[in-house]
DNA sequence: ACTGAATTGTACCCTTGGCTACATTAGTCT
DNA sequence: AGACTAATGTAGCCAAGGGTACAATTCAGT
């Protein structure tokens, strides 16, 4: 109709073209999305290990709300990524890398939940939302959440 | 090793089994993840319409940071879901439902960004994080964000 | 030691969302 | 009008993450 305007359009406030930066943002979101599931698995495995001393495939599947073959496939991927080890018909174990990841993910999760609770979000919603949002919060955002909680505690 | 403890384990604070509720949370997160992309497309199409008067497949692809066949496939899915219409070699248009969704998504996005900025998150991080997190924030959380912004404005 | 149930593993299918390669149509310019 | 370019569409490939159905192994209880 009007021809290609996209090459010449600029952002009103910055005088910079908007496409590349937005494409980068979406790209990062895609990357985060693809690691989100792995982070959830690793966190869950760490939880099960802490609670039961072991992480079994069926329990993982139950907790994830997924059939066991699906869980097994995801675990296979975790093995390939070096986050987890397992021998046939034996439990699942986190590698060094897996434990480090689990620790970071759990800290992030706790911070996220605490932050939402502090804002007045009901507990169940806070847990549910954190489960999704935590994977997309950058260090900058997590730091801001931390500062907020710090201020709250200081000002009582 | 120690037999099946999963059926009997309970949450320390509530005395309720933890599996079902956690499975539900993960299920909801999965659902949100699957609609996230559609929401991004619809929002982007609305933006392009507002800026250029039309939404073309190539521009959508560029902005999403994706090749055009990928964008076309997603658009096909949007058509199937009744959010969008298009005729061969013509532009993409939002249906009623698509416009409504776009409006909700944009409002949510703006709220999210504004909230993060108010917390002191740098602009680029706020935009990037909002792109991911917005899809997982429940009404309760969005309401809490709104209250926070309201308090800020009132207390100057 | 055996049997039956539970757990784990495997095979195969589906959809989504990426990609490349190629075909077709529309738009523009001489 | 014709030719070139850009945009759109189509075909086919891949990996991830969901599922069912069935096979194999382990575990528990007699």
């Amino acid at each position: 109709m009007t021809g290609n305007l996209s090459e010449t359009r600029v952002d009103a406030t910055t005088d910079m073209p908007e496409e590349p930066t937005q494409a980068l943002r979406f790209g990062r979101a895609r990357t985060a999305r693809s690691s989100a599931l792995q982070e959830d698995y690793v966190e869950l495995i760490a939880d099960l290990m802490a609670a039961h001393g072991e992480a079994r495939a069926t329990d993982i599947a139950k907790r994830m709300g997924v059939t066991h073959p699906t869980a097994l496939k995801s675990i296979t991927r975790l093995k390939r990524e070096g986050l987890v080890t397992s021998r046939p018909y034996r439990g699942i174990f986190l590698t060094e890398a897996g434990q480090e990841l689990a620790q970071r993910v759990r800290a992030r999760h706790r911070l996220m939940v605490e932050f939402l609770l502090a804002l007045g979000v009901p507990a169940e919603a806070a847990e549910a939302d954190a489960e999704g949002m935590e994977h997309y919060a950058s260090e900058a955002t997590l730091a801001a959440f931390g500062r907020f909680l710090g201020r709250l505690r200081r000002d009582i």
Side-chain angles (χ1 to χ4, degrees), chain A:
Chain A
M1 304 183 167
T2 43
N4 185 356
L5 294 176
S6 68
E7 296 302 334
T8 54
R9 184 178 160 271
V10 295
D11 180 278
T13 57
T14 61
D15 271 10
M16 294 287 291
E18 177 64 17
E19 293 85 359
T21 151
Q22 190 171 19
L24 285 179
R25 281 200 293 263
F26 280 123
R28 276 196 292 270
R30 266 196 303 278
T31 304
R33 197 160 47 232
S34 93
S35 36
L37 238 212
Q38 297 183 49
E39 293 178 352
D40 285 339
Y41 271 96
V42 167
E43 185 181 4
L44 176 52
I45 291 170
D47 280 358
L48 289 172
M49 296 269 294
H52 302 168
E54 62 171 347
R56 304 189 318 158
T58 5
D59 294 339
I60 296 174
K62 262 186 217 141
R63 289 283 205 102
M64 290 293 300
V66 119
T67 61
H68 85 268
T70 296
L72 285 177
K73 235 193 294 188
S74 297
I75 291 166
T76 299
R77 197 176 155 213
L78 292 180
K79 277 203 264 191
R80 208 180 56 216
E81 312 269 339
L83 296 169
V84 133
T85 57
S86 77
R87 298 194 325 287
Y89 294 97
R90 246 63 220 179
I92 318 293
F93 298 94
L94 292 174
T95 62
E96 279 285 318
Q99 290 182 27
E100 277 166 34
L101 179 57
Q103 217 175 334
R104 268 186 292 134
V105 169
R106 285 167 84 175
R108 199 181 56 185
H109 181 80
R110 274 196 302 268
L111 174 58
M112 196 86 203
V113 172
E114 226 185 312
F115 175 75
L116 292 176
L117 290 174
L119 266 183
V121 177
E124 180 51 38
E127 272 294 341
D129 291 9
E131 205 64 76
M133 297 198 294
E134 56 178 359
H135 305 287
Y136 303 92
S138 63
E139 284 306 317
T141 290
L142 293 172
F145 287 4
R147 284 195 302 273
F148 176 80
L149 287 174
R151 276 196 302 273
L152 257 198
R153 291 201 190 95
R154 181 155 34 74
D155 310 352
I156 312 225

XYZ file of all heavy atoms in Angstrom, chain A residues 19-106:
686
model
N 13.419 -1.656 15.529
C 13.400 -3.100 15.241
C 14.522 -3.889 15.904
O 14.243 -4.868 16.597
C 13.416 -3.371 13.726
C 12.176 -2.936 12.994
C 12.236 -1.455 12.610
O 13.244 -0.814 12.955
O 11.302 -0.966 11.994
N 15.773 -3.533 15.690
C 16.827 -4.409 16.188
C 16.764 -4.626 17.694
O 16.850 -5.758 18.154
C 18.123 -3.682 15.792
C 17.722 -2.330 15.358
C 16.310 -2.359 14.985
N 16.570 -3.547 18.445
C 16.560 -3.714 19.898
C 15.368 -4.554 20.359
O 15.496 -5.387 21.250
C 16.590 -2.341 20.609
O 15.944 -2.432 21.852
C 15.910 -1.284 19.789
N 14.225 -4.375 19.685
C 13.078 -5.190 20.079
C 13.304 -6.653 19.713
O 12.961 -7.554 20.482
C 11.807 -4.664 19.411
C 10.555 -5.324 19.984
C 9.279 -4.675 19.504
O 9.264 -3.975 18.491
N 8.194 -4.920 20.210
N 13.913 -6.868 18.550
C 14.208 -8.240 18.144
C 15.141 -8.895 19.153
O 14.969 -10.058 19.509
C 14.837 -8.248 16.754
N 16.108 -8.133 19.643
C 17.016 -8.668 20.650
C 16.268 -9.042 21.922
O 16.517 -10.081 22.509
C 18.105 -7.632 20.982
C 19.189 -7.468 19.922
C 20.195 -6.411 20.347
C 19.882 -8.793 19.663
N 15.347 -8.147 22.330
C 14.580 -8.451 23.536
C 13.802 -9.742 23.372
O 13.779 -10.592 24.253
C 13.615 -7.301 23.839
C 14.291 -6.115 24.497
C 13.284 -5.231 25.203
N 12.374 -4.554 24.309
C 12.519 -3.308 23.864
N 13.578 -2.604 24.213
N 11.630 -2.774 23.075
N 13.125 -9.898 22.235
C 12.345 -11.115 22.007
C 13.272 -12.325 21.963
O 12.922 -13.398 22.453
C 11.542 -11.016 20.711
C 10.273 -10.225 20.865
C 10.024 -9.115 20.070
C 9.319 -10.588 21.803
C 8.846 -8.380 20.210
C 8.140 -9.857 21.950
C 7.905 -8.753 21.144
N 14.439 -12.140 21.376
C 15.401 -13.234 21.323
C 15.802 -13.689 22.718
O 15.839 -14.877 22.991
N 16.077 -12.708 23.580
C 16.444 -13.063 24.949
C 15.297 -13.779 25.644
O 15.503 -14.733 26.389
C 16.840 -11.807 25.727
C 18.297 -11.413 25.517
C 18.754 -10.432 26.592
N 18.098 -9.143 26.486
C 18.556 -8.123 25.760
N 19.667 -8.254 25.063
N 17.919 -6.978 25.720
N 14.063 -13.289 25.415
C 12.905 -13.921 26.038
C 12.788 -15.374 25.564
O 12.467 -16.268 26.343
C 11.627 -13.149 25.714
N 13.071 -15.612 24.282
C 13.027 -16.983 23.765
C 14.053 -17.858 24.456
O 13.756 -18.986 24.843
C 13.292 -16.986 22.249
C 12.053 -16.943 21.398
C 12.346 -17.335 19.957
N 13.361 -16.526 19.330
C 13.140 -15.327 18.779
N 11.937 -14.797 18.813
N 14.114 -14.670 18.212
N 15.254 -17.338 24.598
C 16.306 -18.090 25.276
C 15.881 -18.433 26.703
O 15.999 -19.581 27.145
C 17.601 -17.258 25.315
O 17.950 -16.884 23.982
C 18.739 -18.055 25.929
N 15.374 -17.419 27.410
C 14.946 -17.638 28.787
C 13.863 -18.702 28.840
O 13.868 -19.578 29.700
C 14.425 -16.333 29.390
N 12.939 -18.652 27.871
C 11.855 -19.613 27.841
C 12.411 -21.022 27.714
O 11.911 -21.952 28.325
C 10.909 -19.276 26.670
C 9.572 -19.923 26.791
C 8.504 -19.232 25.947
N 8.911 -18.932 24.580
C 8.810 -17.733 24.018
N 8.325 -16.728 24.678
N 9.184 -17.561 22.768
N 13.447 -21.169 26.902
C 13.945 -22.514 26.663
C 14.718 -23.055 27.864
O 14.802 -24.262 28.065
C 14.802 -22.551 25.399
O 16.156 -22.369 25.712
N 15.272 -22.188 28.711
C 15.962 -22.708 29.893
C 15.029 -22.795 31.097
O 15.369 -23.437 32.089
C 17.186 -21.862 30.225
O 16.956 -20.503 29.963
N 13.847 -22.202 30.988
C 12.925 -22.167 32.126
C 12.605 -23.581 32.617
O 12.669 -23.859 33.816
C 11.646 -21.436 31.754
N 12.281 -24.461 31.693
C 11.898 -25.816 32.087
C 13.050 -26.528 32.785
O 12.860 -27.188 33.806
C 11.484 -26.621 30.863
C 10.089 -27.232 30.831
C 10.099 -28.517 30.053
C 9.539 -27.460 32.215
N 14.242 -26.387 32.228
C 15.390 -27.041 32.842
C 15.612 -26.516 34.242
O 15.905 -27.290 35.161
C 16.642 -26.796 32.000
C 16.530 -27.393 30.616
C 17.800 -27.202 29.822
O 18.875 -27.476 30.309
N 17.670 -26.729 28.596
N 15.463 -25.228 34.423
C 15.626 -24.651 35.754
C 14.592 -25.233 36.711
O 14.904 -25.558 37.854
C 15.513 -23.129 35.674
C 16.670 -22.493 34.909
C 16.535 -20.982 34.785
O 15.477 -20.432 35.163
O 17.484 -20.338 34.312
N 13.359 -25.367 36.240
C 12.316 -25.930 37.095
C 12.660 -27.355 37.514
O 12.509 -27.717 38.680
C 10.973 -25.924 36.351
C 10.367 -24.532 36.275
O 10.733 -23.670 37.092
O 9.518 -24.301 35.392
N 13.122 -28.143 36.568
C 13.486 -29.527 36.896
C 14.600 -29.562 37.917
O 14.530 -30.297 38.905
C 13.897 -30.287 35.635
C 12.743 -30.953 34.931
C 12.108 -30.339 33.858
C 12.280 -32.195 35.343
C 11.051 -30.939 33.209
C 11.212 -32.803 34.693
C 10.599 -32.182 33.636
O 9.542 -32.789 33.009
N 15.646 -28.797 37.678
C 16.799 -28.822 38.567
C 16.388 -28.391 39.971
O 16.770 -29.008 40.966
C 17.915 -27.920 38.007
C 18.979 -27.674 39.051
C 18.536 -28.572 36.775
N 15.578 -27.351 40.048
C 15.115 -26.880 41.349
C 14.312 -27.972 42.054
O 14.495 -28.252 43.243
C 14.251 -25.624 41.150
C 13.803 -24.974 42.452
C 12.929 -23.757 42.198
O 12.624 -23.476 41.021
O 12.543 -23.088 43.178
N 13.424 -28.611 41.291
C 12.575 -29.650 41.865
C 13.410 -30.827 42.340
O 13.172 -31.390 43.422
C 11.562 -30.096 40.808
C 10.648 -31.250 41.197
C 9.961 -30.975 42.519
C 9.619 -31.476 40.099
N 14.396 -31.227 41.557
C 15.257 -32.337 41.949
C 15.978 -32.004 43.252
O 16.050 -32.835 44.170
C 16.263 -32.663 40.820
C 15.511 -33.255 39.629
C 17.329 -33.644 41.310
C 16.356 -33.382 38.366
N 16.464 -30.785 43.350
C 17.133 -30.372 44.578
C 16.172 -30.449 45.769
O 16.531 -30.920 46.846
C 17.697 -28.967 44.427
N 14.931 -30.019 45.555
C 13.924 -30.078 46.618
C 13.700 -31.520 47.071
O 13.658 -31.816 48.263
C 12.585 -29.515 46.112
C 12.565 -28.005 46.138
O 13.553 -27.395 46.585
O 11.553 -27.429 45.686
N 13.534 -32.413 46.095
C 13.258 -33.810 46.422
C 14.441 -34.437 47.156
O 14.250 -35.193 48.115
C 12.952 -34.600 45.145
C 11.603 -34.282 44.488
C 11.483 -34.960 43.131
C 10.448 -34.713 45.400
N 15.641 -34.118 46.712
C 16.831 -34.630 47.390
C 16.841 -34.157 48.833
O 17.131 -34.940 49.753
C 18.087 -34.123 46.677
C 18.221 -34.616 45.259
S 19.166 -36.154 45.160
C 20.757 -35.551 45.680
N 16.537 -32.887 49.049
C 16.555 -32.330 50.395
C 15.481 -32.993 51.257
O 15.702 -33.288 52.434
C 16.342 -30.826 50.342
N 14.312 -33.262 50.663
C 13.188 -33.770 51.442
C 13.271 -35.280 51.660
O 12.937 -35.777 52.737
C 11.873 -33.412 50.754
N 13.680 -36.030 50.627
C 13.619 -37.496 50.688
C 14.986 -38.150 50.638
O 15.083 -39.362 50.738
C 12.816 -38.056 49.509
C 11.422 -37.542 49.410
N 10.644 -37.743 48.306
C 10.668 -36.833 50.280
C 9.470 -37.166 48.498
N 9.463 -36.604 49.687
N 16.025 -37.380 50.402
C 17.345 -37.953 50.244
C 17.593 -38.532 48.872
O 18.670 -39.024 48.569
N 16.578 -38.510 48.014
C 16.740 -39.015 46.647
C 15.704 -38.357 45.751
O 14.706 -37.822 46.231
C 16.555 -40.527 46.609
C 15.174 -40.955 47.048
C 14.897 -42.434 46.825
O 15.686 -43.079 46.115
O 13.894 -42.927 47.350
N 15.955 -38.404 44.450
C 15.000 -37.866 43.488
C 14.656 -38.990 42.518
O 15.516 -39.472 41.800
C 15.593 -36.685 42.741
N 13.396 -39.406 42.531
C 12.973 -40.490 41.658
C 12.138 -39.931 40.513
O 11.387 -38.961 40.691
C 12.146 -41.510 42.442
C 12.914 -42.031 43.659
C 12.195 -43.176 44.294
N 10.766 -42.931 44.351
C 9.858 -43.882 44.468
N 10.241 -45.137 44.539
N 8.588 -43.573 44.519
N 12.242 -40.617 39.378
C 11.577 -40.129 38.170
C 10.079 -39.934 38.362
O 9.520 -38.915 37.953
C 11.846 -41.083 37.014
N 9.418 -40.921 38.990
C 7.967 -40.799 39.163
C 7.598 -39.605 40.018
O 6.615 -38.916 39.725
C 7.354 -42.038 39.857
O 8.392 -42.907 40.235
C 6.383 -42.715 38.931
N 8.356 -39.388 41.077
C 8.049 -38.240 41.931
C 8.226 -36.940 41.159
O 7.416 -36.015 41.282
C 8.951 -38.247 43.166
C 8.652 -39.433 44.075
O 7.532 -39.984 43.952
O 9.515 -39.810 44.877
N 9.299 -36.883 40.379
C 9.517 -35.691 39.571
C 8.335 -35.470 38.633
O 7.788 -34.374 38.551
C 10.824 -35.838 38.755
C 12.018 -35.921 39.716
C 10.980 -34.702 37.773
C 13.337 -36.214 39.018
N 7.930 -36.547 37.971
C 6.809 -36.439 37.039
C 5.548 -35.960 37.756
O 4.856 -35.056 37.281
C 6.565 -37.786 36.357
N 5.270 -36.573 38.927
C 4.068 -36.188 39.683
C 4.108 -34.714 40.035
O 3.122 -33.993 39.846
C 4.000 -37.006 40.974
C 3.085 -38.221 40.887
C 2.989 -38.878 42.281
C 2.929 -40.398 42.178
N 3.703 -41.072 43.247
N 5.237 -34.271 40.567
C 5.365 -32.885 40.994
C 5.272 -31.912 39.828
O 4.762 -30.804 39.976
C 6.709 -32.675 41.689
C 6.778 -33.321 43.043
C 6.024 -32.478 44.068
N 6.551 -32.721 45.396
C 7.372 -31.889 46.023
N 7.732 -30.762 45.455
N 7.805 -32.177 47.216
N 5.783 -32.322 38.677
C 5.734 -31.445 37.513
C 4.358 -31.491 36.854
O 4.049 -30.674 35.984
C 6.788 -31.851 36.487
C 8.220 -31.572 36.911
S 8.600 -29.795 37.037
C 8.285 -29.247 35.371
N 3.541 -32.470 37.239
C 2.211 -32.582 36.644
C 2.290 -33.078 35.218
O 1.587 -32.597 34.324
N 3.107 -34.089 34.996
C 3.445 -34.529 33.669
C 3.578 -36.048 33.712
O 3.792 -36.626 34.769
C 4.767 -33.792 33.304
C 5.881 -34.756 33.033
C 4.548 -32.799 32.202
N 3.413 -36.733 32.584
C 3.566 -38.189 32.601
C 5.047 -38.540 32.734
O 5.917 -37.741 32.419
C 3.025 -38.818 31.316
O 3.766 -38.315 30.213
C 1.548 -38.520 31.137
N 5.297 -39.781 33.155
C 6.695 -40.094 33.433
C 7.561 -40.131 32.181
O 8.722 -39.732 32.251
C 6.814 -41.377 34.279
C 6.795 -42.646 33.515
N 5.637 -43.346 33.267
C 7.782 -43.327 32.899
C 5.923 -44.409 32.559
N 7.210 -44.432 32.315
N 7.071 -40.585 31.025
C 7.959 -40.534 29.859
C 8.389 -39.110 29.521
O 9.534 -38.871 29.114
C 7.095 -41.119 28.740
C 6.096 -41.982 29.418
C 5.802 -41.272 30.695
N 7.489 -38.166 29.709
C 7.843 -36.767 29.460
C 8.948 -36.326 30.411
O 9.940 -35.712 29.991
C 6.597 -35.880 29.642
O 5.643 -36.234 28.652
C 6.945 -34.414 29.494
N 8.787 -36.667 31.679
C 9.814 -36.314 32.659
C 11.140 -36.973 32.294
O 12.193 -36.325 32.324
C 9.367 -36.734 34.056
N 11.081 -38.250 31.899
C 12.316 -38.950 31.547
C 13.016 -38.269 30.387
O 14.246 -38.163 30.362
C 12.012 -40.405 31.194
C 11.713 -41.316 32.382
C 11.353 -42.717 31.910
C 12.912 -41.361 33.314
N 12.224 -37.833 29.426
C 12.843 -37.180 28.271
C 13.545 -35.895 28.699
O 14.660 -35.597 28.255
C 11.786 -36.888 27.201
C 12.175 -37.491 25.862
C 11.328 -36.975 24.717
C 9.878 -37.413 24.829
N 9.124 -37.062 23.609
N 12.890 -35.128 29.560
C 13.504 -33.890 30.023
C 14.769 -34.193 30.816
O 15.771 -33.480 30.714
C 12.515 -33.112 30.882
O 11.394 -32.743 30.102
N 14.721 -35.265 31.605
C 15.889 -35.642 32.394
C 17.039 -36.041 31.471
O 18.199 -35.714 31.730
C 15.520 -36.773 33.377
C 14.576 -36.223 34.448
C 16.760 -37.379 34.004
C 13.887 -37.285 35.274
N 16.698 -36.736 30.386
C 17.719 -37.080 29.389
C 18.409 -35.825 28.884
O 19.635 -35.770 28.741
C 17.070 -37.825 28.207
O 16.478 -39.022 28.686
C 18.107 -38.155 27.141
N 17.607 -34.802 28.634
C 18.183 -33.552 28.154
C 19.080 -32.939 29.235
O 20.162 -32.445 28.941
C 17.052 -32.587 27.772
C 17.543 -31.451 26.898
C 16.403 -30.551 26.433
N 16.906 -29.218 26.129
C 16.228 -28.090 26.307
N 15.003 -28.128 26.785
N 16.757 -26.936 25.995
N 18.629 -32.986 30.475
C 19.447 -32.448 31.568
C 20.779 -33.188 31.646
O 21.827 -32.581 31.898
C 18.709 -32.586 32.898
C 17.469 -31.736 33.100
C 16.861 -31.999 34.460
C 17.806 -30.257 32.959
N 20.732 -34.501 31.433
C 21.981 -35.273 31.428
C 22.893 -34.780 30.319
O 24.086 -34.564 30.524
C 21.672 -36.768 31.207
C 21.286 -37.497 32.457
C 21.534 -38.998 32.328
C 20.261 -39.705 31.913
N 20.371 -41.175 32.031
N 22.297 -34.595 29.143
C 23.099 -34.136 28.017
C 23.747 -32.796 28.324
O 24.857 -32.512 27.875
C 22.190 -34.024 26.784
C 22.920 -34.213 25.478
C 21.982 -34.086 24.295
N 21.280 -32.811 24.309
C 20.023 -32.642 23.916
N 19.315 -33.664 23.501
N 19.467 -31.454 23.950
N 23.053 -31.953 29.065
C 23.565 -30.623 29.398
C 24.523 -30.669 30.582
O 25.023 -29.633 31.016
C 22.411 -29.675 29.729
C 21.262 -29.691 28.731
C 21.455 -28.665 27.631
O 22.214 -27.713 27.843
O 20.843 -28.837 26.549
N 24.717 -31.857 31.156
C 25.683 -31.986 32.238
C 25.178 -31.476 33.576
O 25.971 -31.139 34.457
N 23.860 -31.410 33.762
C 23.314 -30.913 35.018
C 22.959 -32.044 35.961
O 22.754 -31.826 37.156
C 22.078 -30.052 34.741
C 22.344 -28.776 33.945
C 21.042 -28.137 33.499
C 23.149 -27.796 34.802
N 22.908 -33.258 35.422
C 22.328 -34.368 36.157
C 23.006 -35.667 35.716
O 23.509 -35.757 34.607
C 20.808 -34.371 35.824
C 20.304 -35.736 35.480
C 20.005 -33.758 36.956
N 23.047 -36.635 36.612
C 23.521 -37.969 36.209
C 22.524 -39.007 36.700
O 21.743 -38.740 37.619
C 24.885 -38.313 36.831
O 24.770 -38.216 38.253
C 25.975 -37.383 36.334
N 22.558 -40.188 36.095
C 21.705 -41.278 36.571
C 22.160 -42.577 35.935
O 22.671 -42.582 34.821
C 20.245 -41.005 36.229
O 19.998 -41.272 34.867
N 21.999 -43.671 36.670
C 22.250 -44.991 36.110
C 20.896 -45.680 35.967
O 19.957 -45.379 36.727
C 23.160 -45.800 37.029
C 24.544 -45.132 37.200
C 25.578 -46.066 37.831
N 25.045 -46.991 38.826
C 24.658 -46.643 40.063
N 24.727 -45.369 40.444
N 24.198 -47.540 40.889
N 20.782 -46.596 35.017
C 19.488 -47.237 34.745
C 18.822 -47.782 36.012
O 19.484 -48.408 36.832
C 19.863 -48.379 33.795
C 21.086 -47.906 33.094
C 21.817 -47.024 34.064
N 17.581 -47.512 36.181
C 16.769 -47.991 37.302
C 17.266 -47.492 38.650
O 16.934 -48.064 39.686
C 16.684 -49.528 37.284
C 15.922 -50.036 36.087
C 16.575 -50.459 34.943
C 14.526 -50.041 36.085
C 15.887 -50.892 33.834
C 13.814 -50.480 34.988
C 14.500 -50.904 33.857
O 13.788 -51.332 32.768
N 18.080 -46.445 38.610
C 18.540 -45.810 39.838
C 18.025 -44.374 39.856
O 17.438 -43.916 38.877
C 20.085 -45.829 39.865
C 20.652 -46.698 40.953
C 20.274 -48.131 40.747
N 19.938 -48.813 41.996
C 19.560 -50.081 42.025
N 19.449 -50.755 40.902
N 19.279 -50.650 43.168
N 18.225 -43.691 40.950
C 17.699 -42.326 41.060
C 18.441 -41.312 40.207
O 19.365 -41.635 39.464
N 18.005 -40.067 40.319
C 18.581 -38.959 39.583
C 19.467 -38.161 40.542
O 19.065 -37.904 41.672
C 17.469 -38.015 39.069
C 16.297 -38.808 38.517
C 18.014 -37.032 38.062
C 16.588 -39.567 37.276
N 20.634 -37.756 40.079
C 21.522 -36.968 40.941
C 22.018 -35.722 40.221
O 22.282 -35.764 39.019
C 22.707 -37.826 41.383
C 22.285 -39.017 42.183
C 22.077 -40.244 41.558
C 22.035 -38.906 43.538
C 21.649 -41.350 42.292
C 21.612 -39.999 44.279
C 21.416 -41.227 43.650
N 22.149 -34.649 40.971
C 22.656 -33.405 40.398
C 24.179 -33.447 40.323
O 24.837 -33.916 41.257
C 22.227 -32.216 41.261
C 20.738 -31.896 41.271
C 20.451 -30.788 42.281
C 20.255 -31.485 39.898
N 24.726 -32.953 39.240
C 26.168 -32.755 39.160
C 26.523 -31.481 39.921
O 25.651 -30.776 40.414
C 26.612 -32.582 37.703
O 25.986 -31.409 37.188
C 26.204 -33.777 36.859
N 27.826 -31.202 40.001
C 28.283 -29.937 40.562
C 27.529 -28.772 39.925
O 26.940 -27.946 40.606
C 29.786 -29.757 40.260
C 30.714 -30.506 41.198
C 30.796 -29.826 42.555
O 30.873 -28.587 42.577
O 30.765 -30.546 43.579
N 27.572 -28.757 38.593
C 26.916 -27.671 37.857
C 25.435 -27.613 38.185
O 24.860 -26.536 38.363
C 27.122 -27.857 36.355
N 24.818 -28.797 38.294
C 23.398 -28.850 38.604
C 23.109 -28.269 39.977
O 22.133 -27.532 40.164
N 23.972 -28.598 40.942
C 23.748 -28.083 42.293
C 23.909 -26.572 42.346
O 23.145 -25.882 43.014
C 24.711 -28.755 43.266
C 24.368 -30.218 43.489
C 25.294 -30.880 44.498
O 25.831 -30.211 45.370
N 25.475 -32.188 44.368
N 24.907 -26.087 41.616
C 25.097 -24.634 41.588
C 23.873 -23.951 40.985
O 23.358 -22.969 41.524
C 26.330 -24.275 40.760
C 27.631 -24.373 41.545
C 28.837 -24.351 40.628
O 28.778 -23.663 39.584
O 29.835 -25.031 40.946
N 23.417 -24.509 39.857
C 22.232 -23.942 39.213
C 21.046 -23.978 40.174
O 20.334 -22.990 40.340
C 21.907 -24.703 37.924
C 20.668 -24.217 37.180
C 20.786 -22.743 36.830
C 20.436 -25.036 35.913
N 20.846 -25.113 40.820
C 19.722 -25.270 41.742
C 19.765 -24.204 42.829
O 18.738 -23.603 43.167
C 19.748 -26.658 42.364
N 20.959 -23.963 43.332
C 21.092 -22.994 44.410
C 20.708 -21.597 43.931
O 19.944 -20.884 44.594
C 22.542 -22.994 44.897
C 22.681 -22.806 46.392
C 24.136 -22.930 46.824
O 24.921 -23.601 46.158
N 24.481 -22.287 47.921
N 21.225 -21.230 42.759
C 20.889 -19.915 42.218
C 19.398 -19.798 41.980
O 18.760 -18.797 42.318
C 21.642 -19.688 40.904
C 22.982 -18.997 41.087
C 23.608 -18.670 39.747
N 24.020 -19.853 39.009
C 23.785 -20.077 37.730
N 23.115 -19.197 37.021
N 24.213 -21.173 37.144
N 18.811 -20.844 41.383
C 17.395 -20.809 41.045
C 16.542 -20.711 42.306
O 15.567 -19.964 42.348
C 17.010 -22.054 40.216
C 15.515 -22.181 40.079
C 17.670 -21.995 38.847
N 16.938 -21.466 43.336
C 16.152 -21.434 44.573
C 16.232 -20.072 45.231
O 15.226 -19.565 45.744
C 16.637 -22.506 45.532
C 16.189 -23.879 45.106
C 16.929 -24.936 45.866
N 16.311 -25.213 47.167
C 16.741 -26.183 47.954
N 17.769 -26.919 47.593
N 16.132 -26.412 49.097
